[in-house]
């Protein structure tokens, strides 16, 4: 009985250590990508402020004419969803494939920086042009789909980093290791499901929220 109890305690300790190790790796990967995103965010803010004379002119980004036409346009939600779904899933699969090459980690870092810079430019443009209303418009344009996209992006970047390091750094990947492939496929399926949920929200829910806000903008 004592031996069985000792063995159970040992197995429990190993499981706790394994979970802690995986958690540290996951959070470490997230921190790296969030740092790249933050640097890109600052770069986007700097670029817009540097070129605001050109970007924020009468014919610049998100001018009143563009918002006026958006306010009265009709949205084909089915077509919008199909367009968004193709674009999001294609990018996801391309990044997943690239992560199996030597450019995998570079691609993850580059995408984190690019999306940060895009977000910084987007938020700064609307804030400089419309003030508080612009900030509300920026937030609403990302709601509610980014409740799915943000965790999916973090999971995808971590998944790609782990796959890259498993192949090229630690040598954990083995084409004959079905367990490894099943685990990776299962996590990728979860990410795909989250992205699909975000596409549904972006195609069928967000347009009505955005157009409703623009009518009182």
């Amino acid at each position: 009985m004592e031996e069985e109890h000792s063995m159970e305690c040992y197995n429990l300790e190993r499981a706790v250590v394994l979970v802690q190790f995986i958690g540290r790796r996951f959070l470490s990967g997230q921190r790296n990508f969030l740092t790249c995103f933050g640097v890109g965010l600052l770069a986007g803010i700097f670029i817009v402020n540097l070129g605001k004379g050109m970007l924020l002119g009468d014919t610049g980004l998100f001018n009143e004419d563009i918002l006026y036409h958006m306010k009265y346009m009709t949205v084909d939600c089915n077509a919008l969803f199909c367009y968004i779904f193709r674009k999001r899933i294609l990018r996801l699969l391309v990044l997943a494939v690239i992560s199996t090459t030597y450019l995998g980690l570079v691609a993850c870092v580059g995408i984190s920086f690019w999306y940060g810079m895009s977000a910084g430019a987007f938020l700064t443009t609307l804030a400089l042009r419309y003030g508080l209303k612009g900030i509300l418009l920026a937030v609403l344009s990302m709601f509610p789909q980014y409740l799915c996209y943000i965790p999916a992006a973090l999971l995808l970047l971590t998944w790609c980093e782990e796959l890259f390091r498993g192949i090229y750094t630690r040598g954990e990947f083995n084409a004959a290791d079905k367990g490894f492939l099943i685990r990776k496929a299962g996590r990728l399926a979860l990410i795909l499901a989250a992205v699909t949920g975000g596409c549904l929200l972006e195609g069928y829910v967000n347009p009505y929220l955005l157009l409703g806000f623009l009518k009182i903008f």
Side-chain angles (χ1 to χ4, degrees):
M1 292 291 294
E2 292 182 359
E3 291 181 358
E4 291 180 359
H5 180 69
S6 299
M7 183 61 68
E8 289 177 358
C9 291
Y10 174 72
N11 290 334
L12 180 60
E13 289 177 359
R14 287 187 62 187
V16 170
V17 171
L18 179 61
V19 169
Q20 290 176 340
F21 175 70
I22 293 172
R24 283 196 297 270
R25 281 175 56 188
F26 180 71
L27 292 175
S28 176
Q30 282 189 332
R31 282 196 296 270
N32 293 334
F33 295 128
L34 287 174
T35 299
C36 295
F37 180 88
V39 173
L41 188 72
L42 294 175
I45 294 171
F46 176 76
I47 290 170
V48 170
N49 279 280
L50 189 66
K52 61 183 178 182
M54 177 180 64
L55 296 173
L56 301 181
D58 292 336
T59 59
L61 296 171
F62 305 111
N63 59 27
E64 293 184 1
D65 187 54
I66 291 174
L67 295 186
Y68 177 82
H69 285 90
M70 288 177 62
K71 184 186 301 186
Y72 295 104
M73 70 180 182
T74 57
V75 180
D76 185 341
C77 292
N78 291 327
L80 179 61
F81 167 75
C82 291
Y83 169 76
I84 293 168
F85 182 77
R86 285 197 305 269
K87 185 173 70 171
R88 306 288 188 213
I89 296 300
L90 179 61
R91 290 179 180 178
L92 187 155
L93 294 177
V94 167
L95 182 59
V97 171
I98 292 176
S99 68
T100 64
T101 71
Y102 285 108
L103 297 175
L105 199 56
V106 174
C108 291
V109 170
I111 284 176
S112 300
F113 178 83
W114 173 256
Y115 277 109
M117 187 170 64
S118 300
F122 176 66
L123 292 170
T124 305
T125 299
L126 287 174
L128 289 176
R129 189 180 285 280
Y130 301 110
L132 180 59
K133 289 197 302 182
I135 296 174
L136 292 175
L137 177 61
V139 172
L140 192 62
S141 67
M142 297 183 288
F143 183 83
Q145 64 269 22
Y146 274 80
L147 296 176
C148 293
Y149 288 153
I150 291 174
L154 291 173
L155 287 171
L156 176 62
L157 290 170
T158 304
W159 183 91
C160 291
E161 182 193 22
E162 290 177 353
L163 182 61
F164 173 84
R165 294 191 186 280
I167 296 173
Y168 296 105
T169 305
R170 294 186 295 269
E172 296 173 354
F173 176 75
N174 184 350
D177 185 359
K178 293 183 179 180
F180 180 88
L181 296 175
I182 290 173
R183 288 194 301 272
K184 287 296 177 185
R187 286 181 59 186
L188 184 60
L190 178 64
I191 295 167
L192 285 167
V195 172
T196 301
C199 293
L200 288 168
L201 292 173
E202 188 173 3
Y204 292 100
V205 178
N206 177 260
Y208 295 103
L209 296 177
L210 187 58
L211 293 177
F213 179 74
L214 285 174
K215 292 186 186 302
I216 60 172
F217 188 72

